[in-house]
Amino acid sequence: MKGIVFLISITFAYSCQNDKKDMTKPIAPVAKKIAKELIKHEDVRVDNYYWLNDRENQEVIEYLNKENEFYSKVTEHTKGFQNDLFFEMKSRIKEDDSSVPYKQNGYWYVTRYETGKEYPIYSRHKDTLEAPEEIMFNGNEMAEGHDYFKIGGISISPDNNLAVFGVDTVSRRQYILQIKNLKTGEIYSDRIEDTTGGAVWANDNKTIYYTKKDSVTLRSDKIYKYKFGELAENDLLIFHEKDDTFGTAVYKTKSKKYIAILSYSTLTSEVQILNADNPDGEFSMFSPRVRGVEYSISHYENSFYVLTNKDEATNFKLMKVSEEATTSENWKDFIPHRKNVLLEDIDIFKNYYVLSERENGLNKLKIVRWDNASSYYLPFGNETYTAYVGTNPDYDTNILRYGYNSMTTPSSVIDFNMDTKEKTIKKEQEVLGGTFNKDNYKSERIWATARDGVKVPMSIVYHKNTNINEETPVLQYAYGSYGSTIDPYFSTIRLSLLDRGFIFAIAHIRGGEYLGRQWYEDGKLLKKKNTFTDFVDCSKFLIENNYTSAEHLYAMGGSAGGLLMGVVINIAPELYNGVIASVPFVDVVTTMLDDSIPLTTGEYDEWGNPNEKVFYEYMKSYSPYDMVKKQKYPNMLVTTGLHDSQVQYFEPAKWVAKLREYKKDTNILVLNINMDAGHGGASGRFESLKEVAKEYAFILDLEGKTPLSQKK
């Protein structure tokens, strides 16, 4: 998750202990060392900063505050520039913006923002958009008095009278569920704590199903049934997922006929179903879990369509089964497995189904009539674009709503008539300020050769006036885990880099699914190191082909991408002038051995279970915290949130403390902790831009692109 003259000149206390100290310069906090032995498989690791794990310890909070103070002092000369960047990025965004309305069950739903306000307003109109607006939730009013605020999934009852919603005011993704009467405006007193924030209604308009989290591990492990009007403490436990490597969720099929309980792990899934007209009935097993087999279901008429990797269908296939006999031995191929095409999703309509596919890294949307009278792909003429199926809750329609953007083209929301093939652009993202012209930017896809000979794609974008040579600054970004694909997308925020001569590069490294499911399989468990070496080899490609040089190359990643940053600076620190590691997952071994830490057990199929020696040793061999060594490191900005539920704050805190102890350079190393937020950062629409402004100011300052008025 080097530099300009001022930043080079900073000398930290830990690197000049024998020199005369300049008391006018900021002194980095030095964490005390309390040795703690961690023993596994007869291997002893000593963690001198383990004590930072205790957030209830006032000394820990004081230390974190000192880190924030140090960050503020080191970056004080960029404060004005950060502010300028914030207003620059904010000025491109339409403040009084609104979503494209979508129709569901007789109402048009809209999410809109008001000028000067941070939070969304959720509203609806009955029958037509000309009907009076009904404000369901005003996030700005609800957020008053909270440092952090987020509304979870809003679910409307079938009769349109009630809404169940979740609220998180801590930023640990532990939502309190409540119910609102949309006719009277009353919010009922019942409060259900420790939920995922979403719920689904049975067709009786009074029964809801919701998912509870374990209050310690935050694993979604229980499904409850609640009948409106009864006490929440009388809620009935419907299902308990006892395998701690699995999570669970509940949802309703688009047909509205079934409520489904999903159990899921990285490699395996299982579904139970119940007719939504019979909320007091018992859920039945759709098909029992089989390790390594993933499946999801869509309902149409009297059949289910099953998206699955069954029968070694690495890139997934679509199978069909009757409602009457749903277990896997009854599944029949509907769309066979294809070696070079990843089948990502299916959307069901009355007369059509729409397939979301990925071939050679590119999104493809295929429209097929159920009667097979026609089938065709939507045309996209680019190599660095993103296309996706949008919000389509209406089953009985011939209109497909989809989204499109590219690295140079702002987002569009498009309604496509699947009968006539006519499209209507419902909304194009506005880039305010009057200076943006998409023709001023160029994007392309380039391919680096990894050390094992595999070709790794990168999507890059830059201003057409940027001279590409060894002095060109490049920000290289990647994630590379969980099969999550970072598509080439448009960003108004990114323009602040491009307009200052930066190239922005997304490295589509193994561990994601950009080139299909096998691309993911080749970047996890005992092949995880491919993720890291792919990133490094992409960096070397950029340098060797004169896109930039080590003096002007910057790297950025967050969460699992922050782990990527941690490994990269251990194995190839000389390639980068600066690195931003956001909420980085860097203490891999210790975290994965502690099953009381939120979300750990569900990660075993991604990283491996270190209780098994082979995974322990492999994990330790790349764990950023364990592999810190006495060497030079790039300039670094590390960010975290005190209430982060995904990557606990103490991982980056300990990592920074250890880096300070070991690093043999005078480069910058700062840690910025948001004491009010969690994994996603600030909750406000524009407050989050301030965090981006900090990150951009850091690398622009290292690159010497801070306005002279801001330098000392």
Side-chain angles (χ1 to χ4, degrees):
M1 315 184 6
K2 302 176 180 178
I4 65 172
V5 173
F6 170 74
L7 294 178
I8 291 179
S9 67
I10 296 176
T11 305
F12 298 113
Y14 56 80
S15 64
C16 59
Q17 294 176 354
N18 296 322
D19 298 333
K20 183 178 179 180
K21 294 181 175 62
D22 183 346
M23 300 305 293
T24 65
K25 294 176 180 177
I27 306 297
V30 177
K32 70 179 182 181
K33 296 164 68 173
I34 303 176
K36 180 177 178 63
E37 287 192 349
L38 302 171
I39 304 173
K40 191 69 177 180
H41 305 298
E42 300 181 349
D43 178 58
V44 180
R45 293 179 301 129
V46 177
D47 186 348
N48 289 319
Y49 305 107
Y50 190 90
W51 66 275
L52 287 171
N53 288 30
D54 183 7
R55 81 174 72 231
E56 303 302 321
N57 183 343
Q58 186 57 36
E59 190 174 0
V60 171
I61 300 301
E62 290 173 0
Y63 173 77
L64 298 179
N65 286 330
K66 288 179 181 178
E67 284 286 5
N68 276 341
E69 291 170 8
F70 179 64
Y71 164 80
S72 294
K73 290 176 182 177
V74 170
T75 60
E76 182 180 4
H77 67 292
T78 70
K79 289 296 192 291
F81 186 41
Q82 291 178 32
N83 198 52
D84 291 345
L85 283 172
F86 167 72
F87 284 107
E88 179 182 300
M89 293 184 288
K90 183 180 178 182
S91 71
R92 300 191 192 101
I93 300 172
K94 186 179 181 182
E95 292 198 46
D96 55 341
D97 202 2
S98 63
S99 65
V100 178
Y102 67 87
K103 193 172 186 180
Q104 183 173 13
N105 198 23
Y107 280 83
W108 289 91
Y109 289 88
V110 181
T111 302
R112 63 178 178 85
Y113 292 87
E114 293 181 343
T115 301
K117 302 294 180 63
E118 289 281 350
Y119 296 95
I121 296 170
Y122 299 95
S123 65
R124 65 180 185 173
H125 304 258
K126 188 174 183 180
D127 295 328
T128 71
L129 288 169
E130 287 68 40
E133 180 186 47
E134 300 176 18
I135 294 179
M136 300 184 296
F137 300 96
N138 186 328
N140 301 291
E141 295 176 356
M142 297 171 70
E144 290 180 4
H146 299 290
D147 293 321
Y148 179 94
F149 177 82
K150 189 170 184 179
I151 297 177
I154 298 170
S155 181
I156 311 298
S157 62
D159 63 6
N160 294 313
N161 292 331
L162 301 173
V164 59
F165 66 101
V167 169
D168 177 12
T169 57
V170 179
S171 189
R172 281 181 66 79
R173 302 183 185 182
Q174 292 171 284
Y175 289 85
I176 297 173
L177 277 185
Q178 292 183 271
I179 294 177
K180 182 175 183 177
N181 187 315
L182 297 178
K183 298 296 184 182
T184 67
E186 179 184 1
I187 296 178
Y188 297 105
S189 59
D190 291 47
R191 293 162 60 90
I192 304 172
E193 298 185 350
D194 292 328
T195 79
T196 58
V200 295
W201 292 89
N203 292 341
D204 64 352
N205 296 299
K206 65 179 181 180
T207 304
I208 65 170
Y209 295 87
Y210 65 89
T211 311
K212 266 213 164 191
K213 292 185 171 185
D214 183 283
S215 60
V216 176
T217 67
L218 301 189
R219 183 172 69 91
S220 305
D221 64 345
K222 295 183 178 72
I223 305 296
Y224 280 87
K225 179 171 72 173
Y226 165 73
K227 284 190 178 291
F228 176 62
E230 298 182 3
L231 295 177
E233 53 262 35
N234 294 334
D235 289 5
L236 181 65
L237 176 64
I238 298 298
F239 173 67
H240 181 195
E241 178 52 72
K242 296 182 179 179
D243 186 330
D244 61 8
T245 67
F246 278 72
T248 190
V250 62
Y251 64 96
K252 202 172 191 179
T253 60
K254 186 175 179 178
S255 67
K256 309 303 181 188
K257 184 174 180 179
Y258 290 97
I259 294 169
I261 293 175
L262 169 67
S263 291
Y264 60 89
S265 70
T266 304
L267 295 176
T268 309
S269 53
E270 177 184 82
V271 176
Q272 303 172 61
I273 58 174
L274 173 69
N275 191 306
D277 289 332
N278 184 26
D280 292 326
E282 298 290 330
F283 279 81
S284 62
M285 180 62 65
F286 187 89
S287 190
R289 67 189 69 178
V290 176
R291 180 167 174 78
V293 175
E294 301 171 59
Y295 72 89
S296 60
I297 62 171
S298 298
H299 177 251
Y300 177 72
E301 294 186 341
N302 59 355
S303 299
F304 286 98
Y305 291 81
V306 185
L307 182 65
T308 181
N309 64 347
K310 182 178 178 288
D311 304 323
E312 300 182 353
T314 304
N315 275 333
F316 287 76
K317 61 181 178 178
L318 194 63
M319 305 185 80
K320 181 180 178 181
V321 68
S322 166
E323 286 179 314
E324 306 303 320
T326 61
T327 52
S328 61
E329 63 267 20
N330 300 302
W331 300 355
K332 305 296 182 185
D333 278 5
F334 185 72
I335 296 176
H337 176 253
R338 292 162 289 175
K339 182 178 180 181
N340 297 319
V341 178
L342 174 65
L343 183 56
E344 294 185 314
D345 205 357
I346 179 174
D347 283 87
I348 302 288
F349 297 87
K350 181 178 180 180
N351 296 319
Y352 294 89
Y353 61 90
V354 179
L355 302 176
S356 296
E357 302 175 349
R358 187 182 297 274
E359 185 173 11
N360 196 31
L362 304 181
N363 302 124
K364 300 174 72 176
L365 300 180
K366 186 177 183 180
I367 298 170
V368 186
R369 281 189 64 94
W370 285 109
D371 61 10
N372 290 319
S374 67
S375 67
Y376 53 91
Y377 286 95
L378 293 178
F380 304 115
N382 203 321
E383 272 206 334
T384 55
Y385 71 89
T386 298
Y388 54 91
V389 173
T391 303
N392 292 275
D394 192 359
Y395 164 79
D396 189 5
T397 179
N398 63 345
I399 301 297
L400 168 69
R401 175 164 292 174
Y402 72 94
Y404 175 86
N405 68 85
S406 74
M407 297 188 85
T408 60
T409 307
S411 299
S412 294
V413 177
I414 301 164
D415 278 0
F416 181 80
N417 189 310
M418 294 182 281
D419 290 338
T420 66
K421 300 184 181 179
E422 295 175 333
K423 70 177 184 179
T424 303
I425 298 176
K426 304 298 291 184
K427 180 180 180 180
E428 289 182 307
Q429 179 185 3
E430 293 185 60
V431 183
L432 303 184
T435 61
F436 174 76
N437 182 342
K438 67 180 181 181
D439 294 330
N440 287 336
Y441 302 89
K442 294 183 177 181
S443 65
E444 56 186 291
R445 187 166 64 162
I446 56 180
W447 298 77
T449 302
R451 59 197 63 188
D452 60 358
V454 171
K455 297 290 186 181
V456 181
M458 285 183 281
S459 297
I460 67 171
V461 62
Y462 51 92
H463 195 283
K464 68 177 184 180
N465 293 334
T466 297
N467 294 318
I468 299 178
N469 54 49
E470 61 184 14
E471 295 184 357
T472 307
V474 172
L475 177 57
Q476 182 181 332
Y477 175 82
Y479 184 72
S481 291
Y482 302 105
S484 178
T485 298
I486 308 299
D487 281 310
Y489 62 98
F490 181 80
S491 167
T492 62
I493 298 170
R494 189 190 299 142
L495 297 175
S496 292
L497 292 179
L498 305 186
D499 291 347
R500 289 175 172 83
F502 265 76
I503 296 173
F504 184 84
I506 301 174
H508 303 292
I509 54 182
R510 281 173 280 189
E513 281 188 347
Y514 185 78
L515 291 181
R517 178 70 175 199
Q518 193 59 49
W519 200 244
Y520 168 45
E521 298 292 338
D522 288 342
K524 69 175 185 178
L525 297 174
L526 298 179
K527 296 182 179 179
K528 189 63 203 173
K529 290 182 182 179
N530 285 334
T531 299
F532 316 132
T533 55
D534 279 359
F535 190 91
V536 169
D537 292 340
C538 284
S539 299
K540 290 179 177 178
F541 174 89
L542 292 170
I543 293 171
E544 291 166 359
N545 288 273
N546 292 321
Y547 284 91
T548 189
S549 60
E551 290 74 26
H552 300 282
L553 181 56
Y554 302 87
M556 183 177 182
S559 195
L563 179 149
L564 170 66
M565 295 299 100
V567 177
V568 162
I569 64 167
N570 280 336
I571 65 176
E574 72 284 355
L575 296 180
Y576 309 96
N577 187 36
V579 171
I580 297 173
S582 304
V583 293
F585 173 41
V586 285
D587 191 12
V588 187
V589 179
T590 305
T591 292
M592 295 301 296
L593 281 170
D594 187 350
D595 59 14
S596 71
I597 292 178
L599 310 177
T600 292
T601 54
E603 306 282 289
Y604 288 159
D605 288 334
E606 176 71 23
W607 309 98
N609 183 350
N611 291 296
E612 299 176 30
K613 188 175 182 180
V614 62
F615 288 112
Y616 173 89
E617 292 178 343
Y618 187 79
M619 204 176 289
K620 181 184 173 183
S621 71
Y622 67 74
S623 171
Y625 185 61
D626 291 285
M627 297 307 292
V628 169
K629 62 190 74 171
K630 293 184 177 180
Q631 65 177 12
K632 293 182 178 180
Y633 283 94
N635 297 286
M636 293 183 61
L637 167 63
V638 182
T639 66
T640 189
L642 180 64
H643 301 291
D644 196 327
S645 61
Q646 309 297 108
V647 178
Q648 303 290 303
Y649 75 91
F650 47 76
E651 292 199 41
K654 294 195 303 179
W655 183 46
V656 167
K658 189 172 182 179
L659 281 167
R660 286 228 179 90
E661 178 186 356
Y662 279 74
K663 68 196 294 284
K664 303 183 75 64
D665 56 73
T666 57
N667 291 331
I668 300 163
L669 172 60
V670 285
L671 172 64
N672 184 222
I673 309 106
N674 188 326
M675 302 299 282
D676 299 315
H679 199 64
S683 59
R685 184 185 183 200
F686 296 114
E687 280 299 307
S688 59
L689 292 181
K690 293 180 180 179
E691 298 178 355
V692 180
K694 288 180 180 180
E695 296 167 347
Y696 280 13
F698 182 77
I699 59 175
L700 285 166
D701 192 33
L702 290 173
E703 191 56 29
K705 293 184 180 292
T706 307
L708 292 176
S709 62
Q710 303 296 344
K711 296 180 184 179
K712 291 183 179 179

